[in-house]
């Protein structure tokens, strides 16, 4: 029997992080012969070991695409101009015939790989092609092995397959006989769902949340769920959803419910500026009718509590925002006190219900309102109010709040 000749870099390989990386491969693949062959080849032929490990990762991706759903794979392939995939029995065959490069692209578009993982897998495939076609000129070095092994294991072979969430599952959740209870696993499934599936789910939730004929509980559940999944929604999906909603709304004025739901979904900034301006101008008119004097204290809370649900001051177009900031500032400042049975020991009379809400909104929107507030130092009404030292200190409190 011939003696096994170890590769010159075998000691480096055995001392590297590769053995630990191999231990991260999930049990389903650890037991397969292909991985065992990789272990045996690594000390004697690192190039072949790298090729076989990437082959294992590619086969794993093919299986994961089918588990995720041939229907969604077909949608994604069409949307991103990849080789077509049939929705019927031939779909599995189409996926098996996908080239490695296109399969990596498909996996990324389906959400099975993140963008950084897609780029790394593409680079790993390029290295494998170098090893495959240039054996006489190029052999795998320790750096190639580590890159391919770490990429294939971290991005693919260590991870369980993902079952993509369906709209029917979301429908069951929001129609349950009680407040919505979102399963963290479903949130993970939504996060990894491709753009087409995320968009499909959000269209359903928005239509239910805005439908007056639906029970209040269901609409509330939809609103809650929209807000909960919003951080996991990709920007491209937001843009497409905003276009969809704008087409449905047309050019009529926005309602408070539409703005509240749009903000929860993260699509309000994509709405037409003219409509957003008109909406917040109406909110300003409501505030001005109430008045900023402290005697209107009982009405301030109701009017101001809605603003965070509308996106806060950051959502207000600049030309209207400066006027709203002015109203809130005057409301917060109040007027000199020190008189009356109840106010003798109170140096400034101001709206108790409005002040904490204004502080919260100014703090949350400080990046966008800093110049607006600073500019009010020259406003006639503000200067008149600040002629009293105690009131002036309240204005300084606001300036300090946005300068943090």
């Amino acid at each position: 029997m011939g003696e096994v000749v170890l590769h010159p870099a075998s000691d480096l390989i055995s001392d590297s992080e590769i053995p630990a990386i191999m231990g991260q491969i999930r049990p389903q693949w650890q037991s397969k012969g292909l991985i065992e062959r990789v272990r045996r080849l690594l000390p004697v032929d690192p190039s072949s070991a790298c090729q076989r490990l990437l082959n294992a990762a590619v086969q794993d991706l093919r299986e994961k695409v089918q588990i995720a759903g041939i229907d969604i794979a077909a949608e994604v392939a069409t949307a991103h101009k990849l080789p077509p995939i049939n929705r019927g029995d031939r779909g599995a065959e189409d996926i098996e015939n996908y080239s490695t490069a296109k399969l990596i692209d498909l996996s990324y578009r389906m959400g099975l790989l993140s963008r950084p993982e897609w780029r790394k897998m593409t680079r790993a495939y390029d290295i494998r092609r170098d090893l495959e076609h240039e054996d006489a000129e190029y052999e795998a070095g320790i750096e190639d092995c580590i890159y391919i092994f770490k990429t294939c294991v971290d991005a693919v072979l260590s991870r369980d397959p993902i079952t993509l969430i369906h709209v029917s599952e979301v429908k069951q959740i929001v129609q349950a006989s009680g407040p919505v209870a979102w399963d963290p696993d479903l949130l993970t499934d939504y996060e990894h769902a491709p753009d087409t599936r995320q968009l499909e789910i959000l269209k359903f939730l928005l239509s239910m949340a805005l439908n007056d004929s639906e029970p209040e509980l269901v609409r509330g559940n939809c609103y809650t769920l929209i807000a909960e999944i919003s951080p996991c929604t990709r920007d491209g999906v937001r843009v497409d959803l905003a276009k969809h909603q704008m087409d449905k709304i047309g050019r009529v004025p926005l309602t408070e419910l539409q703005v509240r739901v749009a903000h929860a979904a993260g699509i309000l900034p994509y709405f037409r500026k003219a409509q957003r301006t008109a909406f917040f101008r109406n909110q300003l008119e409501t505030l001005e009718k109430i008045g900023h004097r402290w005697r209107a204290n009982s009405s301030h809370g109701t009017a101001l509590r809605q603003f965070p649900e509308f996106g806060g001051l950051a959502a207000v177009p600049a030309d209207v925002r400066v006027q709203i900031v002015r109203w809130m500032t005057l409301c917060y400042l109040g007027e000199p006190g020190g008189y009356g049975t109840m106010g003798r020991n109170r140096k400034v009379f101001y709206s108790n219900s409005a002040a904490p809400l204004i502080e919260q909104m100014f703090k949350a929107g400080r990046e966008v309102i800093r110049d607006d507030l600073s500019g009010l130092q020259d406003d006639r009404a503000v200067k008149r109010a600040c002629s009293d030292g105690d009131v002036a200190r309240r204005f300084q409190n606001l300036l300090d709040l946005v300068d943090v």
Side-chain angles (χ1 to χ4, degrees), residues 364-382:
R366 57 178 175 261
E367 296 297 331
V368 295
I369 70 165
R370 188 172 290 132
D371 291 343
D372 297 340
L373 183 62
S374 179
L376 290 176
Q377 294 178 88
D378 297 324
D379 181 86
R380 183 180 301 176
V382 173

Side-chain angles (χ1 to χ4, degrees), residues 171-196:
K171 187 175 182 180
Q172 285 182 327
I173 292 171
V174 299
Q175 290 182 337
S177 58
V180 64
W182 184 255
D183 186 337
D185 290 339
L186 288 178
L187 190 61
T188 300
D189 290 346
Y190 174 84
E191 182 178 5
H192 288 90
D195 291 1
T196 50

Side-chain angles (χ1 to χ4, degrees), residues 297-367:
N297 172 75
S298 60
S299 300
H300 289 157
T302 302
L304 292 175
R305 280 191 200 95
Q306 300 181 84
F307 265 84
E309 295 183 355
F310 298 151
L313 293 169
V316 186
D319 50 344
V320 185
R321 187 185 65 234
V322 67
Q323 299 174 63
I324 292 177
V325 169
R326 179 181 183 274
W327 186 96
M328 291 183 177
T329 299
L330 291 170
C331 184
Y332 183 86
L333 294 182
E335 60 189 62
Y339 60 86
T341 304
M342 302 296 293
R344 188 174 293 118
N345 296 319
R346 186 169 178 175
K347 294 181 178 180
V348 179
F349 292 158
Y350 60 87
S351 173
N352 288 332
S353 63
L357 297 173
I358 291 170
E359 286 179 351
Q360 291 172 14
M361 284 187 279
F362 275 33
K363 186 175 182 180
R366 57 178 175 261
E367 296 297 331

Side-chain angles (χ1 to χ4, degrees), residues 207-216 218-219:
S207 67
M208 296 282 280
L210 296 170
N211 190 342
D212 292 336
S213 64
E214 291 293 333
E216 192 64 32
V218 173
R219 295 172 66 192

